[in-house]
C-alpha cells in the first residue's frame, strides 16, 4: 500500500439501510485512511418528511454516529460534513406545496442546526448548494439564498462549505458570494467537480479522465467517490475502493506531488486538518 494518507473528500454512509461499516472496511483495506462523510438526504434516512429542526438533528445524529464507527476502523479518522441537500427544495415545493420562500426558510433552519454540530466539534464542515437541474426562477433564487446563508454560517464558524451544484467550470460568482460574507474562496468546495474549475476548490470525482483534467490544471484539488451507500445501487456513484486505487495509479504514473496536494496540502488549507499525524 502507498505510504501516504488517502482521503475521500465526499462519501455517504447509510447507518439505516446501507453497507455502512462494511463500506468503510473496503476503503481501509484498499489503503484509504481518512474520510469526509456527508449526510445522506433526509428522505433517505427518515421514514417521514422533515418538518423542522428536530428532524434535521436526527439525520445529523445518525451521520455523526456513522462517523464515529468509521473512525474506529481507519488508520486515520473520519469527519462529518452536515447540511441540507439542495434537491429538498423541489420536494418541498413540488410535492408538499411549500412556497419557495417557505422552503428556503426550512432549509436554512436545517443549516443552522448543522452549524451547531460544527460549533460543538462533531462536524468539520457544512454542505449546501442549488439544484443541478432546471427549476423555476423563484426556486433558483431561493436556492441561491440558501447558499448565501450557508456561506455566512461557514464564516461565522470558520469552517468550509461543500457545494452540490450544476456542472460548471466557472463558479467564480458563487465564490464571490462566499467572500462577501467572510468565507475565503478556497474554503468553498465544489463536490463532483470535472477537474477544471474557477472559483471554489474542486473536489474531483475519481475517474481517470477527470483526474487527468485536474492534473493539467495544476491547481489545488481534492478527490472523492460520492459513494452513496444505496443497497439498490451498489458501487454508485463510485465504489469505496476507488480513491485508494486512483492514488495508486497516480503514484505509478509519477504524480507524487499531486497526491500530496490532494491528500495533505489541500485538506489542510481547506479544512485545517492534518492527514499525516491524525
Amino acid at each position: 500500500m502507498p505510504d501516504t494518507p488517502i482521503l475521500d473528500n465526499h462519501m455517504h454512509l447509510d447507518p439505516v439501510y446501507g453497507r455502512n461499516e462494511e463500506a468503510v472496511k473496503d476503503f481501509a483495506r484498499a489503503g484509504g485512511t481518512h474520510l469526509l462523510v456527508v449526510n445522506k438526504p433526509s428522505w433517505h434516512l427518515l421514514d417521514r418528511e422533515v418538518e423542522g429542526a428536530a428532524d434535521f438533528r436526527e439525520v445529523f445524529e445518525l451521520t455523526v454516529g456513522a462517523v464515529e464507527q468509521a473512525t474506529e476502523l481507519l488508520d486515520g479518522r473520519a469527519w462529518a460534513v452536515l447540511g441540507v441537500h439542495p434537491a429538498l427544495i423541489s420536494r418541498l415545493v413540488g410535492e408538499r406545496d411549500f412556497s419557495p420562500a417557505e422552503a428556503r426558510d426550512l432549509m436554512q433552519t436545517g443549516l443552522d442546526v448543522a452549524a451547531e454540530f460544527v460549533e460543538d466539534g462533531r462536524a468539520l464542515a457544512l454542505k449546501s448548494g442549488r439544484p443541478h437541474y432546471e427549476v423555476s426562477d423563484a426556486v433558483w433564487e431561493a436556492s441561491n439564498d440558501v447558499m448565501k446563508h450557508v456561506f455566512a454560517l461557514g464564516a461565522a464558524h470558520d469552517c468550509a462549505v461543500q457545494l452540490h451544484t450544476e456542472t460548471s467550470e466557472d463558479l467564480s460568482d458563487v465564490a464571490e458570494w462566499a467572500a462577501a460574507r467572510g468565507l475565503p474562496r478556497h474554503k468553498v468546495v465544489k463536490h463532483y467537480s470535472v477537474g477544471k474549475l474557477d472559483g471554489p476548490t474542486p473536489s474531483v470525482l475519481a475517474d481517470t479522465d477527470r483526474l487527468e483534467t485536474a492534473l493539467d490544471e495544476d491547481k489545488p484539488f481534492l478527490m472523492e467517490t460520492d459513494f452513496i451507500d444505496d443497497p439498490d445501487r451498489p458501487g454508485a456513484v463510485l465504489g469505496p475502493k476507488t480513491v485508494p486505487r486512483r492514488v495508486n495509479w497516480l503514484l505509478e504514473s509519477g504524480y507524487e506531488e499531486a497526491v500530496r496536494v490532494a491528500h495533505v496540502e489541500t485538506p489542510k488549507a481547506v479544512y485545517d486538518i492534518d492527514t499525516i499525524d491524525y
Side-chain angles (χ1 to χ4, degrees):
M1 290 187 181
D3 184 22
T4 179
I6 296 177
L7 169 73
D8 189 329
N9 182 65
H10 190 106
M11 175 186 283
H12 301 283
L13 294 175
D14 188 330
V16 181
Y17 304 107
R19 297 187 64 223
N20 198 30
E21 290 186 26
E22 292 305 312
V24 178
K25 290 177 183 177
D26 283 349
F27 174 71
R29 281 192 291 261
T33 58
H34 296 77
L35 283 175
L36 265 62
V37 179
V38 183
N39 63 273
K40 293 187 73 171
S42 54
W43 56 93
H44 288 302
L45 292 177
L46 300 182
D47 59 2
R48 63 187 185 280
E49 299 289 347
V50 292
E51 301 288 349
D55 299 313
F56 288 112
R57 187 167 283 108
E58 183 174 342
V59 170
F60 301 152
E61 291 284 1
L62 285 168
T63 302
V64 168
V67 166
E68 292 171 349
Q69 293 173 336
T71 292
E72 295 177 1
L73 300 170
L74 296 170
D75 286 342
R77 62 161 295 177
W79 293 271
V81 177
L82 303 179
V84 180
H85 196 286
L88 178 60
I89 197 167
S90 297
R91 294 177 66 89
L92 294 173
V93 172
E95 300 175 16
R96 297 176 61 189
D97 295 326
F98 277 58
S99 71
E102 291 169 335
R104 175 202 64 207
D105 292 348
L106 179 58
M107 294 170 74
Q108 290 179 347
T109 294
L111 291 167
D112 291 341
V113 174
E116 294 174 13
F117 283 76
V118 174
E119 178 68 22
D120 66 19
R122 293 197 293 162
L124 179 69
L126 299 170
K127 182 261 178 79
S128 183
R130 62 190 180 195
H132 61 274
Y133 46 86
E134 191 168 335
V135 294
S136 69
D137 290 346
V139 166
W140 186 253
E141 181 178 349
S143 298
N144 284 334
D145 287 344
V146 172
M147 267 204 299
K148 293 171 184 177
H149 183 71
V150 81
F151 294 149
L153 291 172
H157 295 278
D158 191 24
C159 72
V161 173
Q162 286 198 18
L163 294 181
H164 175 119
T165 74
E166 73 280 8
T167 299
S168 176
E169 294 183 358
D170 188 354
L171 290 173
S172 298
D173 56 342
V174 172
E176 288 295 330
W177 295 346
R181 288 157 180 80
L183 183 66
R185 295 168 183 80
H186 73 277
K187 294 179 78 70
V188 180
V189 178
K190 169 65 172 83
H191 144 66
Y192 210 89
S193 173
V194 296
K196 181 178 181 180
L197 181 65
D198 291 329
T201 298
S203 181
V204 181
L205 193 70
D207 67 43
T208 53
D209 288 345
R210 295 189 187 210
L211 288 172
E212 286 172 346
T213 299
L215 294 169
D216 289 342
E217 287 294 293
D218 195 26
K219 296 178 180 178
F221 69 99
L222 298 153
M223 291 173 61
E224 66 169 75
T225 56
D226 192 23
F227 175 67
I228 64 173
D229 200 9
D230 183 345
D232 294 329
R233 297 174 62 197
V237 172
L238 296 175
K241 300 177 184 178
T242 308
V243 165
R245 288 174 172 172
R246 294 295 182 265
V247 167
N248 280 321
W249 169 72
L250 288 169
L251 293 173
E252 291 168 359
S253 302
Y255 290 108
E256 291 87 355
E257 181 58 25
V259 169
R260 180 173 179 81
V261 167
H263 298 274
V264 178
E265 294 179 5
T266 307
K268 177 66 175 176
V270 173
Y271 301 109
D272 196 25
I273 56 177
D274 184 346
T275 56
I276 293 179
D277 295 326
Y278 201 178

